[in-house]
């Protein structure tokens, strides 16, 4: 009988933690901003900033534009000091054009894969 109570406790604990994580993921919000020579990537949860990463043009090694899914575009910003920033599914849809203009304006090297170029042509 005691093992049944322990099992029920662990099942309740696991389901409670899973529910809590699910709720957190629902209210998680990502923002990506390009201003002057800085790219800012921010994660907020319930309106509170959880993580912010600011990258200057001097810290960017390269930007690679790829296909993320069947018809989804992705930009990977490789930095010299930390993990890369992945940009996908952000609004407005012009975020990729803005990022290309940012690269051209500040001399940041960038590449486009063939798959990405096909997605660009499709619109």
């Amino acid at each position: 009988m005691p093992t049944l109570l322990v099992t029920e406790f662990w099942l309740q604990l696991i389901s409670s933690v899973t529910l809590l994580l699910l709720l957190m993921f629902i209210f998680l919000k990502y923002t990506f901003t390009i201003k002057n020579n800085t790219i800012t990537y921010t994660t907020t949860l319930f309106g509170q900033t959880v993580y912010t990463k600011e990258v200057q043009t001097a810290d960017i090694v390269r930007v690679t534009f790829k296909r993320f899914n069947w018809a989804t575009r992705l930009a990977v910003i490789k930095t010299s000091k930390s993990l890369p920033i992945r940009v996908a599914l952000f609004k407005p849809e012009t975020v990729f054009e803005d990022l290309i203009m940012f690269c051209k304006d500040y001399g940041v090297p960038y590449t486009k894969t063939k798959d990405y170029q096909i997605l660009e042509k499709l619109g």
Side-chain angles (χ1 to χ4, degrees):
M1 191 71 160
T3 57
L4 184 61
L5 290 176
V6 170
T7 305
E8 287 181 15
F9 168 76
W10 283 109
L11 285 175
Q12 279 188 333
L13 182 67
I14 290 171
S15 60
S16 298
V17 169
T18 304
L19 181 63
L20 181 66
L21 287 174
L22 182 63
L23 285 174
M24 285 177 55
F25 285 128
I26 289 172
F27 292 103
L28 203 59
K29 182 180 175 185
Y30 303 97
T31 56
F32 178 78
T33 314
I34 300 172
K35 285 188 181 176
N36 298 330
N37 66 340
T38 305
I39 292 176
T40 307
Y41 181 80
T42 308
T43 304
T44 56
L45 178 64
F46 301 117
Q48 299 295 319
T49 301
V50 177
Y51 176 76
T52 299
K53 183 176 187 179
E54 282 193 6
V55 180
Q56 303 290 327
T57 53
D59 298 332
I60 299 174
V61 175
R62 73 177 170 280
V63 179
T64 306
F65 294 91
K66 304 176 180 183
R67 186 178 81 180
F68 172 63
N69 214 347
W70 183 253
T72 306
R73 295 188 281 177
L74 166 74
V76 179
I77 303 169
K78 175 82 170 116
T79 61
S80 60
K81 295 184 178 181
S82 61
L83 295 172
I85 299 172
R86 296 172 52 95
V87 179
L89 302 172
F90 280 93
K91 292 189 179 166
E93 293 291 324
T94 61
V95 70
F96 297 102
E97 288 79 16
D98 296 341
L99 193 53
I100 290 171
M101 289 305 298
F102 173 82
C103 290
K104 288 179 181 178
D105 291 346
Y106 294 102
V108 175
Y110 69 95
T111 57
K112 297 178 184 178
T113 62
K114 289 181 182 180
D115 289 338
Y116 182 86
Q117 291 172 357
I118 292 170
L119 289 177
E120 262 186 332
K121 290 178 185 175
L122 293 175

